[in-house]
Amino acid sequence: MAMRGGGATMLSWYLQVAAVSLLAMATGLEAQLRVGFYDNSCPAAEIIVQQEVSKAVSANPGLAAGLVRLHFHDCFVRGCDASVLIDSTKVNQAEKDAGPNTSLRGFEVVDRIKARVEQACFGVVSCADILAFAARDSVALTGGNAYQVPAGRRDGSVSRSSDTGGNLPPPTASVSQLTQMFAAKGLSQREMVALSGAHTIGASHCSSFSSRLYRAGTTAGGGQDPTMDPAYVAQLAQQCPQSGGAAGGGALVPMDAVTPNAFDEGFFKGVMNNRGLLSSDQALLGDKNTAVQVVAYANDASTFQSDFAAAMVKMGAVGVLTGSSGKVRANCRVA
C-alpha cells in the first residue's frame, strides 16, 4: 500500500510538473512573434498601416526607403523596440539625434499610423510592430515581395544616442566590418548582402560618399576611388560639386541611378558595374564570397526578393521584447 501511495503521489507530482511545463510552453509560445498576432485584438491594424504608407509613398516615393531604414536603424540599436522613435528631452539625447540617425525620415508617417490605430484599438498595437509592418508595405509598394510579418513586439522605454555607437554600419565599412556588425545581431554574411539590397531604393547625401570623388589637392577625375567607374565619378561630381561645400553636402543622390524608386535587383547590377554609391556597397564586389552573391542577385531577381524577405523577417526579431516585457507606448515619440 505504501508503494501504491508513493506511486500515486509520484504520479500526482508528474502530472503537476507536466501541467506546469505545458503552461510554460504555452506562455513561451504566446510571448513569441507570430503572423496574425492582431487578428483578434485589432484586425484593422495591418490594413491601417498599409493605407497610410500607401498615401505617404504616393505623395513622396522617397519615404518608402525612409521607412525601411527606420526599421533597420531601430533593430540594430537595442533591438526592434521602437526606441528610434523616441524624442530627446532636456536630460536625454535620444537615438534619433545621434549622428548616424539625423537623416532618418518617416517619423510623421508613423505618427499618423499610430493615431489611427489607437482610435481603432486603444493600447493594443506597438510602435515596434508598426515599424515592421510599414517597412514591409514600403517594400511591396515599390515592387518587392509582400512578405508576412510575425508580430507581437513590445516597445522599449530607453533611447540613448550613445547606444548607436558601433551598432550602425558607416558608409565606409569594409566587408569584414559589415560581416562582424551583422553577426553581432545574429545575421549571416549572406543575410547582410541580401539586406544591403535595400539600397536599391532611396538616396544618399553627397557627404556620405564625396571622399570617393575628391581627394585633397585634386579635382574630379584626379585621385578618386579607383574602384568606381570613372564615368560615374564624373556624373556624381556634377551632382555633388566640390564648390558646394563638403562636396555638395546636403544634396541627395539616388542609390540606384537606373531605377531609384523600384525595389528590384538594380542595386546589385550597379555594384557589378562599379557603380555602387557608397564605398561599403562597392566593397561587396571586392570580396570573393560576397561578390558571388552580388552577381547571383544581379542575374536572378526572384532569388534576391525571396532572400531579402526572409532576412527582413529574421532582422525584425532581433532583440525583441515580447509577452510581459516592454509595453505598448500610446505615443511613439514618448517613453
Side-chain angles (χ1 to χ4, degrees):
M1 293 295 291
M3 289 180 62
R4 283 187 190 175
T9 303
M10 187 65 71
L11 178 60
S12 175
W13 180 80
Y14 276 127
L15 289 173
Q16 288 177 26
V17 169
V20 171
S21 298
L22 287 172
L23 179 60
M25 287 174 61
T27 303
L29 288 171
E30 287 177 3
Q32 301 305 307
L33 306 182
R34 68 175 187 272
V35 173
F37 185 84
Y38 296 109
D39 283 355
N40 295 320
S41 60
C42 191
E46 293 192 52
I47 298 171
I48 291 171
V49 175
Q50 198 278 336
Q51 289 174 343
E52 291 300 322
V53 172
S54 182
K55 284 192 288 186
V57 172
S58 294
N60 181 357
L63 282 173
L67 290 166
V68 173
R69 190 164 175 244
L70 262 184
H71 183 41
F72 175 85
H73 279 233
D74 178 44
C75 291
F76 264 56
V77 181
R78 303 189 65 86
C80 310
D81 66 346
S83 54
V84 75
L85 301 177
I86 296 174
D87 285 340
S88 295
T89 65
K90 291 180 180 179
V91 296
N92 178 64
Q93 185 178 53
E95 287 174 33
K96 63 167 58 172
D97 291 319
N101 286 337
T102 54
S103 61
L104 290 176
R105 51 185 178 157
F107 296 105
E108 295 79 9
V109 181
V110 176
D111 290 340
R112 290 195 291 270
I113 293 170
K114 183 62 172 175
R116 281 192 59 190
V117 167
E118 286 299 297
Q119 285 185 332
C121 326
F122 180 76
V124 173
V125 183
S126 69
C127 301
D129 277 341
I130 288 174
L131 279 179
F133 293 145
R136 182 267 314 277
D137 293 340
S138 295
V139 170
L141 286 164
T142 49
N145 282 6
Y147 54 92
Q148 290 189 308
V149 174
R153 298 165 189 78
R154 305 269 289 179
D155 299 326
S157 302
V158 177
S159 182
R160 295 186 295 252
S161 62
S162 58
D163 288 338
T164 62
N167 282 306
L168 297 170
T172 55
S174 66
V175 168
S176 176
Q177 290 172 319
L178 290 171
T179 301
Q180 290 174 9
M181 296 182 87
F182 276 70
K185 309 302 176 187
L187 297 164
S188 68
Q189 186 181 73
R190 182 174 181 82
E191 288 161 339
M192 178 271 288
V193 177
L195 290 169
S196 296
H199 286 175
T200 196
I201 55 174
S204 175
H205 290 282
C206 293
S207 56
S208 294
F209 58 86
S210 59
S211 62
R212 305 186 70 200
L213 311 180
Y214 308 98
R215 300 288 170 84
T218 69
T219 57
Q224 74 272 12
D225 189 331
T227 66
M228 186 179 267
D229 174 18
Y232 191 42
V233 171
Q235 175 187 326
L236 293 172
Q238 290 186 328
Q239 295 172 281
C240 304
Q242 197 169 21
S243 59
L252 284 169
V253 175
M255 303 284 279
D256 174 2
V258 180
T259 53
N261 295 317
F263 201 93
D264 56 20
E265 72 284 6
F267 165 78
F268 297 103
K269 288 181 176 178
V271 171
M272 269 187 68
N273 293 319
N274 296 317
R275 289 179 168 239
L277 189 63
L278 306 179
S279 59
S280 58
D281 293 335
Q282 195 58 51
L284 298 176
L285 194 66
D287 178 276
K288 63 180 181 181
N289 294 318
T290 55
V292 170
Q293 197 174 343
V294 167
V295 174
Y297 285 161
N299 292 302
D300 187 350
S302 62
T303 298
F304 160 57
Q305 295 280 8
S306 59
D307 283 2
F308 178 83
M312 282 292 282
V313 170
K314 186 172 178 181
M315 185 196 76
V318 170
V320 294
L321 300 171
T322 59
S324 58
S325 300
K327 58 177 158 183
V328 174
R329 300 201 303 264
N331 182 337
C332 292
R333 293 176 177 266
V334 180

